[in-house]
Amino acid sequence: FEEWGKRIGMSEAHYKPYLETILQRTTSGAAKLPLFDGVLELLESLRAEHELGVITANTASAATAFLSQHGAAELFSEIV
């Protein structure tokens, strides 16, 4: 994630805390990772004008569970 954050021009002040949270929660076995602030609102706005889908290297059921935890699964018409 750090390399990805750098590539898209995200400041270290933004990606470092998120990376630390992800590493802590995944290594501690926590299932619920946070969304960036404003992501749910952005997805809702996009859904109002577009059909959304998810393509993931994870399983569709894991992606659906994650999105459901954040109230976002219903925003996507396909999750594969």
Side-chain angles (χ1 to χ4, degrees), residues 3-77:
E3 183 62 32
W4 179 80
K6 288 177 183 177
R7 285 184 185 186
I8 64 167
M10 183 183 289
S11 73
E12 188 172 323
H14 284 98
Y15 72 75
K16 280 287 189 181
Y18 191 74
L19 177 60
E20 290 170 11
T21 300
I22 290 172
L23 291 174
Q24 176 192 19
R25 291 186 179 188
T26 49
T27 57
S28 69
K32 188 173 181 181
L33 297 173
L35 291 177
F36 283 115
D37 290 341
V39 168
L40 186 57
E41 293 81 3
L42 173 63
L43 291 171
E44 291 168 340
S45 175
L46 289 170
R47 179 64 174 143
E49 307 252 344
H50 306 282
E51 186 173 343
L52 303 178
V54 173
I55 299 173
T56 179
N58 208 328
T59 64
S61 61
T64 301
F66 172 79
L67 293 168
S68 293
Q69 289 173 347
H70 296 288
E74 69 281 353
L75 300 173
F76 297 92
S77 45

